[in-house]
Amino acid sequence: MLSGLSLLLALGAAAAAQRTIQWTFVQNGTSGVIPVELITLSPTLMLMYDRADGNPLLLPDGTRAWAALWDLTTNTNTPLDTITDTFCAGGAFISNGTLVSVAGQPLENPAQPPADGRMGIRLFGPCTSATGVGPGCTVFEDPAQIHLAVTRWYPTGLRIPDGSLMIIGGSNFNTFYNTGPLAENSIEFFPSRPGEEGTVRPSQFLLDAEPVNMFPRSFVLPSGHVFVIANNITMIYDIATNTETRLPPIPNGVRVANPFDGTAQLLPLSAPLYEPTVLVCGGSATDDSRPTSNITTQDPATDQCSRITLTAAGVKAGWTVERMPETRILTESVMLPTGDVLLINGAHTGYSGYPSVSDSNLTLSNAANPALRPILYRTALPAGQRITQNGLPSSTIPRMYHSSASLMANGAIMVAGSNPNPAVFAPGGPAKFPTEFRVEYLTPDFISNNAPRPIIRSAPTQIGFNEKVTLKVSVPPSLLSGQIQVSLMDLGYVTHAQHSNSRLVFLEHTLNPLTGTLEITTPPNNNVYPPGPAWIFVVADGIHSEGVHVMVGDGGNPPRAAQGVAVKFNSL
Ligand SMILES: *[C@@H]1O[C@H](CO)[C@@H](O)[C@H](O)[C@H]1NC(C)=O
Ligand SMILES: *[C@@H]1O[C@H](CO)[C@@H](O)[C@H](O)[C@H]1NC(C)=O
Ligand SMILES: *[C@@H]1O[C@H](CO)[C@@H](O)[C@H](O)[C@H]1NC(C)=O
Ligand SMILES: *[C@@H]1O[C@H](CO)[C@@H](O)[C@H](O)[C@H]1NC(C)=O
Ligand SMILES: *[C@@H]1O[C@H](CO)[C@@H](O)[C@H](O)[C@H]1NC(C)=O
């Protein structure tokens, strides 16, 4: 029989699951560059990387900017200079808090910067100023000294348990299908691992995933292994032994890497066993042997979301399939502090990539039929009840290829970009989906209404592994009967429907509501949360606080030695 208290808690949890939501889009400001890549840096700053032709935002010398710092307090952008071309790069924050962006576009115009970006390594921060002016707030590049071993475009950057960057796959040149000599089917690391300087590790998996293998969706599991999805196949990669182990393919022929961009998230990890489950939504089930001359902007994307638990039993049980109310390609997924996943932007039909499919010259886009209304995936609910659009608004702005969305520290979502066109195209011209500079915010009702929210009053700026740490919080009494969650999050490096490094670990905690003392237990070790920057959010009854920024680990340069304690876990 339930005691009074646990009954109350059970009712509270049920109420959280059924909370009615009423979110809104607000448009404010224009970005001046197209945020092909969007990264949450601080409570006030977002970093954007783009290409550099036709952007209205200019550097002080009058040339066009291809990177910028967006100030959330003024809704304006400050141009940043870079040496190499950042277009379609990948990246992550590494263990010392530096944001690393790698690879990019080949030389576009020999008469103008930027230089060939394919071997580029760009370091940014830590930038501690609120306005982005000051030490660390510029892009540092030294292409002669610090560069990749090989040329890459469209690679994935993933922070691994030693706090360094794993760089996976990519292409060498502008292509729809990534095949043959164009494809860079290999893995390398930044910094290079001892004995591997200037070399790469060839990947049979990436070769087998041709021609839909750019921006392979990748996650660090609590075992320290890396799970990778490309095209319709999946694998576990063991970094230490350089071995690839195949896992079940995505069901029903659905393909999810670029140029058939579906989106994927590692669902929240929780004690005691940190069992990892991966969610994959959208993409396309088109046969990838059909040439571009035989596929169209009107080909339906998939409505499939699939999930698999990456334990021995989970893999035996295989993928389970859920259906979205609409088909989705190029869709972004944004992990929320509650553990729910927002699916936003993209289209119902067509593909990623520059105009290249048979009818794309008519609209200058490879996709059509924009998906204007987000979808919420409510992770904790039973299958069949998780997917909803109730309470979510429609935008009026198509956000097609080269759009992005990221959670901000205030708990709302920044939505920006869209440029499926071969260059910057203004409205009214030949592009049906012209280049989009307007910025929108998708804001939960409790933020727009100034409803009572949990507040983190103080927290350390650095935490170790397997430690008990005390925060000062206040939780509105009206929310105390609901579930309390403490979410440690990496908000990711967002590009091409890929939220690389997105991660949420629910921390064990004890709240004393009378004293406002919240004792948390930090992640047990660097496999559960690879060392690097994070955000802590407190969620009460489904309503999240603003996030506070924290460094997890000692903040030293990679590689870091194993940290914390080995715990029993259940993960491949
Ligand atoms: C847009 O943002 C600016 C700067 O924060 C603010 O002053 C202005 O009121 C906002 N406008 C709208 C329509 O929300
Ligand atoms: C995956 O795609 C390949 C072609 O790229 C196809 O031969 C194979 O049957 C597909 N596998 C599944 C399980 O759909
Ligand atoms: C693709 O090829 C098939 C088989 O030849 C043909 O039936 C179909 O009409 C083609 N579709 C397009 C859009 O070219
Ligand atoms: C689209 O137009 C470009 C430039 O005119 C041309 O090179 C390309 O072949 C066309 N593509 C298709 C699919 O017709
Ligand atoms: C962070 O580490 C990288 C890799 O060792 C190094 O290149 C970079 O300078 C470091 N950043 C800072 C701010 O020290």
Side-chain angles (χ1 to χ4, degrees), residues 290 293-296 299 358:
R290 289 170 63 187
S293 58
N294 187 255
I295 59 178
T296 81
D299 295 346
S358 58

Side-chain angles (χ1 to χ4, degrees), residues 473-529:
V473 302
S474 46
V475 178
S478 59
L479 304 179
L480 277 172
S481 60
Q483 187 187 16
I484 306 289
Q485 297 162 304
V486 182
S487 307
L488 183 78
M489 298 182 75
D490 188 319
L491 303 183
Y493 185 112
V494 178
T495 192
H496 292 80
Q498 142 112 311
H499 287 233
S500 199
N501 306 287
S502 172
R503 200 172 191 83
L504 195 170
V505 180
F506 282 132
L507 301 180
E508 293 181 279
H509 60 270
T510 312
L511 172 67
N512 181 334
L514 299 177
T515 59
T517 305
L518 178 69
E519 188 186 68
I520 60 171
T521 306
T522 64
N525 58 48
N526 54 309
N527 290 338
V528 172
Y529 194 93

Side-chain angles (χ1 to χ4, degrees), residues 356 416 445:
S356 48
D445 40 13

Side-chain angles (χ1 to χ4, degrees), residues 322-365:
E322 297 163 89
R323 297 279 164 199
M324 297 181 282
E326 304 166 339
T327 58
R328 290 291 175 118
I329 188 115
L330 333 172
T331 194
E332 303 291 328
S333 57
V334 182
M335 178 63 73
L336 302 176
T338 52
D340 293 346
V341 179
L342 184 81
L343 302 166
I344 186 168
N345 298 358
H348 300 308
T349 63
Y351 305 92
S352 294
Y354 274 166
S356 48
V357 305
S358 58
D359 60 341
S360 59
N361 274 357
L362 301 174
T363 54
L364 295 181
S365 169

Side-chain angles (χ1 to χ4, degrees), residues 208-436:
D208 292 348
E210 286 186 359
V212 181
N213 68 359
M214 292 179 282
F215 287 121
R217 279 50 176 165
S218 308
F219 307 96
V220 173
L221 302 181
S223 55
H225 297 153
V226 177
F227 178 64
V228 186
I229 309 168
N231 201 332
N232 59 354
I233 58 176
T234 73
M235 71 152 174
I236 296 268
Y237 182 68
D238 184 331
I239 298 170
T241 59
N242 185 20
T243 45
E244 300 182 337
T245 308
R246 294 299 164 88
L247 288 180
I250 309 287
N252 305 316
V254 168
R255 308 171 197 277
V256 297
N258 186 274
F260 291 10
D261 282 310
T263 193
Q265 285 280 346
L266 175 64
L267 295 177
L269 298 171
S270 303
L273 293 176
Y274 301 97
E275 291 188 0
T277 296
V278 166
L279 174 72
V280 180
C281 291
S284 176
T286 291
D287 177 350
D288 63 3
S289 65
R290 289 170 63 187
T292 50
S293 58
N294 187 255
I295 59 178
T296 81
T297 62
Q298 304 300 320
D299 295 346
T302 181
D303 63 357
Q304 178 169 299
C305 285
S306 354
R307 58 190 259 177
I308 191 167
T309 297
L310 297 169
T311 60
V315 165
K316 202 165 164 220
W319 292 88
T320 55
V321 168
E322 297 163 89
R323 297 279 164 199
M324 297 181 282
E326 304 166 339
T327 58
R328 290 291 175 118
I329 188 115
L330 333 172
T331 194
E332 303 291 328
S333 57
V334 182
M335 178 63 73
L336 302 176
T338 52
D340 293 346
V341 179
L342 184 81
L343 302 166
I344 186 168
N345 298 358
H348 300 308
T349 63
Y351 305 92
S352 294
Y354 274 166
S356 48
V357 305
S358 58
D359 60 341
S360 59
N361 274 357
L362 301 174
T363 54
L364 295 181
S365 169
N366 265 357
N369 302 300
L372 297 171
R373 191 171 180 195
I375 294 172
L376 191 63
Y377 185 89
R378 296 172 297 179
T379 304
L381 291 187
Q385 298 172 31
R386 295 182 186 130
I387 296 175
T388 185
Q389 288 182 301
N390 290 343
L392 293 170
S394 287
S395 174
T396 56
I397 303 177
R399 304 273 185 195
M400 312 291 276
Y401 194 46
H402 295 150
S403 65
S404 51
S406 184
L407 189 75
M408 302 180 293
N410 78 351
I413 292 122
M414 180 168 173
V415 189
S418 185
N419 186 27
N421 321 131
V424 169
F425 279 82
K432 180 161 184 190
F433 306 107
T435 307
E436 186 55 64

